[in-house]
């Protein structure tokens, strides 16, 4: 099984490894007797295989993900305008731990593969074709930081010295040479639109959309509230700017449990995860039939929290020899603060409603 832990998709080399990597191969589901007869080294290898598998079981194609990808293919997948014309962008927003970046990565991988299949690995001028560039903002980014990150992706020799304008011109040259078609900017919420630097970076995004022959995919938390689509002020009220006219907004939300359809969708997701487990003592159907509500309460409907709970539960089950997931075992597993806090608040409400 391929170990892909030592890479960053913030560089072209790392991204190429992700795109070229074969699907993870599921380890064999051995019986407890066979596991107990293994030598120390055999057991260590088998447990490592399962740890890598459970940590990388693949992206679950939920209804929300499928709907998002349909929108992305409609907007970005159809952007075939000449380079002199600005292309439509997409902004994806929602709370942390909902799977935004994972969904975008899967789309970007498929987009990359389509571009290579249709146009070849090399451009007409013999340069490597890199259809996708992904950068992540952090801290309080300036225009120079943003432009520098575009050069860092390519490990460009000019990424260390120069002005913001120098970086932008160098990045444009590389994008043209490598025929980049999709620029993903993740964690855009770190941008502060109300600050001087925030305004400059916002203007820089407009420059990229106008002058680079790319589609942009913007990802972040609360982008609407932060002011991505607003520009200027008229009589004290913010008005929509050019970004609002060029950008398609899509929001990801947590799973719900109020309606029967929502509960069915949640059980479908849990069942899909359960089919991937490689634990000999796990009784198939336990999670979907008996622990579906428990898993919702623990994760509060957030995909990232659910995956963390399952992954850590599997690690504990293997390490302790339990080799199965039960409510008792999962109760010993701690996950993110938000999920744990909300769980305690829910439990308190239940105690207040049903004392004794």
């Amino acid at each position: 099984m391929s170990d892909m832990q030592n890479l960053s998709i913030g560089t072209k080399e790392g991204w190429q490894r992700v795109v070229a990597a074969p699907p993870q191969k599921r380890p064999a589901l051995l019986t407890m007797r066979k596991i107990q007869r293994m030598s120390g080294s055999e057991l260590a290898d088998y447990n490592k295989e399962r740890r890598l598998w459970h940590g990388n079981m693949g992206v679950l194609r939920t209804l929300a993900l499928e709907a998002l990808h349909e929108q992305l293919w409609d907007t970005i997948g159809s952007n075939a305008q000449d380079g002199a014309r600005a292309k439509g962008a997409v902004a994806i927003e929602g709370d942390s731990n909902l799977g935004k970046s994972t969904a975008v990565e899967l789309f970007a991988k498929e987009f990359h593969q389509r571009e290579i299949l249709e146009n070849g690995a090399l451009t007409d001028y013999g340069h490597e074709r890199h259809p996708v560039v992904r950068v992540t903002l952090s801290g309080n980014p300036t225009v120079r930081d943003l432009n520098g990150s575009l050069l860092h992706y390519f490990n460009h020799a000019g990424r260390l010295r120069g002005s913001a304008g120098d970086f932008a011109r160098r990045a444009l040259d590389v994008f043209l040479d490598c025929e980049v078609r999709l620029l993903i900017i993740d964690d855009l919420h770190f941008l502060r639109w109300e600050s001087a630097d925030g305004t400059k970076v916002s203007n820089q995004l407009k420059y990229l959309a106008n002058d680079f022959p790319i589609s942009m995919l913007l990802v972040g938390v609360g982008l609407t509230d932060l002011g991505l689509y607003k520009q200027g002020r008229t009589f004290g009220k913010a008005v929509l700017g050019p970004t609002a006219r060029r950008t398609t907004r899509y929001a990801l939300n947590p799973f719900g449990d109020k309606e029967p359809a929502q509960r069915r969708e949640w059980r479908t997701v849990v069942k899909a995860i359960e089919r991937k487990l490689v634990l000999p003592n796990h009784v198939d159907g336990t999670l979907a039939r008996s622990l579906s509500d428990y898993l919702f309460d623990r994760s509060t409907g957030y995909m990232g929290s659910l995956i963390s709970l399952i992954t850590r539960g599997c690690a504990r089950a293997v390490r302790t020899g339990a080799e199965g997931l039960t409510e008792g075992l999962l109760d010993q597993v701690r996950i993110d603060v938000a999920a744990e806090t909300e769980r305690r608040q829910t439990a308190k409400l239940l105690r207040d409603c049903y004392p004794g």
Side-chain angles (χ1 to χ4, degrees), residues 264-307:
R264 285 196 298 271
E265 182 183 5
W266 177 256
R267 283 195 296 272
T268 298
V269 169
V270 172
K271 188 181 296 184
I273 295 174
E274 188 165 24
R275 285 196 293 263
K276 295 174 179 287
L277 302 183
V278 185
L279 299 170
N281 282 344
H282 183 74
V283 179
D284 188 41
T286 299
L287 299 185
R289 285 195 306 267
S290 306
L291 297 181
S292 179
D293 291 342
Y294 169 83
L295 293 173
F296 187 90
D297 292 341
R298 287 294 311 273
S299 65
T300 61
Y302 281 66
M303 178 62 80
S305 300
L306 174 65
I307 295 300

Side-chain angles (χ1 to χ4, degrees), residues 191-199 225-227 233:
L191 177 61
R192 298 294 180 261
W193 279 273
E194 299 303 322
S195 70
D197 283 336
T199 300
D225 292 338
L226 288 172
R233 294 191 173 273

